[in-house]
Amino acid sequence: MKTALVTGSAHRLGREIALRLAEEGYFTFVHYRTSRREGDAVLQTLKKNGGRGALVKGDMGSPADIAGIVAEVKRQTGRLDILVNNVGVYKPGSLLDYSPEDFEATLRTNLSACFRLIQTALPLFPAKGGSILNIGYAGVENLTGTTHNTAYLISKSGLFILTKSMAQALGSRGIRVNMVSPGILSNSVELPADPSAWIPLNRLGKTRDVADAVAFLAGKNADYITGVNLDISGGYHLALRSLETNRSPSKNSKRKPKKRH
């Protein structure tokens, strides 16, 4: 039975990706760190829709927990066909006031943990084939700078380079490695003051838009695509600079930023 693991899938985008891959017939592992109740709700929805799956717990910032996640996947299914590195830390703040601890934690979860999980999970992939999807941000290929969420941009830019590098390293095994980069979604932590002014397609994105792209790149219709980034942004990345001067908190930003677990 083909198997998928989506990190940080108890909430938001990860939830939608897990449900979408289950629709495609994958036995889907719903990963969480502390949100057991929310993770179980995703699993129950998945099963109600006719899918199959299981919960798996772990802190992506912990090497021991990453090893435990992979061990649990191996125990339950013995294989892994699709890995989606979705979990991420987004904690905006002024660069000069940013704490070194928060900076390092962002890089550890958003970049180093993805490398470690890929490396640890590789023995579970088929002898030939499989797909790894890393979640970036729209405009990641532009290699821009910012004083607002620098650690996040550095971590995702590094993940983009890791994506291309892993695509080269794993190509001989038929494992495709790609990145999917969301733009401004309706549930984004921050929203521009006037989204329509900066998004050519004139609407905020939906988590389903991104999940559909993940399902496409994971599937057989994309079996000759590797090492690429696919922006799902309605064209927003064409004017990425806009948020620097047109940022406003959304209703989703009232809570303290935390890991997407």
Side-chain angles (χ1 to χ4, degrees):
M1 121 182 96
K2 289 195 173 184
T3 300
L5 167 63
V6 183
T7 65
S9 45
H11 296 287
R12 299 161 62 87
L13 177 58
R15 175 186 184 276
E16 193 72 40
I17 293 172
L19 294 175
R20 185 66 180 84
L21 291 178
E23 288 179 13
E24 294 295 312
Y26 295 99
F27 184 99
T28 303
F29 283 93
V30 177
H31 163 259
Y32 70 97
R33 182 175 67 99
T34 58
S35 305
R36 171 63 187 255
R37 182 173 61 182
E38 291 84 351
D40 188 61
V42 175
L43 183 61
Q44 295 311 311
T45 300
L46 181 157
K47 291 180 176 178
K48 183 179 179 181
N49 293 341
R52 297 172 296 168
L55 292 177
V56 61
K57 178 182 179 180
D59 183 351
M60 291 298 294
S62 164
D65 279 17
I66 289 174
I69 291 167
V70 174
E72 182 62 14
V73 172
K74 181 178 181 180
R75 185 187 72 81
Q76 293 208 41
T77 64
R79 66 180 291 164
L80 186 62
D81 299 272
I82 308 295
L83 170 61
V84 182
N85 279 309
N86 166 74
V87 71
V89 171
Y90 181 81
K91 188 174 183 180
S94 172
L95 175 59
L96 298 183
D97 296 326
Y98 216 76
S99 76
E101 292 77 15
D102 285 340
F103 193 94
E104 291 169 2
T106 299
L107 267 63
R108 183 168 57 250
T109 300
N110 294 4
L111 178 56
S112 299
C114 296
F115 169 74
R116 188 179 292 273
L117 181 57
I118 292 171
Q119 194 174 61
T120 306
L122 276 178
L124 297 187
F125 275 78
K128 198 75 172 178
S131 181
I132 298 170
L133 286 308
N134 298 318
I135 302 301
Y137 70 91
V140 66
E141 295 173 88
N142 296 335
L143 200 61
T144 186
T146 176
T147 60
H148 177 68
N149 54 357
T150 310
Y152 181 81
L153 261 65
I154 290 173
S155 68
K156 293 298 186 178
S157 297
L159 188 58
F160 178 53
I161 295 172
L162 180 64
T163 299
K164 286 182 168 292
S165 301
M166 280 291 184
Q168 295 177 59
L170 299 176
S172 62
R173 288 187 52 180
I175 298 175
R176 298 176 296 104
V177 189
N178 293 295
M179 175 171 272
V180 174
S181 292
I184 307 170
L185 305 182
S186 58
N187 66 346
S188 291
V189 173
E190 296 176 302
L191 298 174
D194 181 11
S196 64
W198 305 103
I199 303 173
L201 290 186
N202 201 32
R203 70 168 175 87
L204 294 172
K206 299 175 288 188
T207 53
R208 182 72 180 202
D209 296 327
V210 183
D212 283 343
V214 169
F216 166 70
L217 285 174
K220 62 181 181 180
N221 289 332
D223 64 2
Y224 200 57
I225 300 175
T226 194
V228 305
N229 172 62
L230 180 58
D231 270 0
I232 310 299
S233 65
Y236 163 67
H237 67 284
L238 302 174
L240 185 61
R241 59 183 173 79
S242 63
L243 273 187
E244 291 305 305
T245 55
N246 291 274
R247 182 181 291 108
S248 64
S250 75
K251 64 181 181 180
N252 304 299
S253 65
K254 294 179 181 179
R255 294 176 295 179
K256 183 180 179 181
K258 58 183 180 180
K259 293 181 182 179
R260 298 170 187 168
H261 290 178

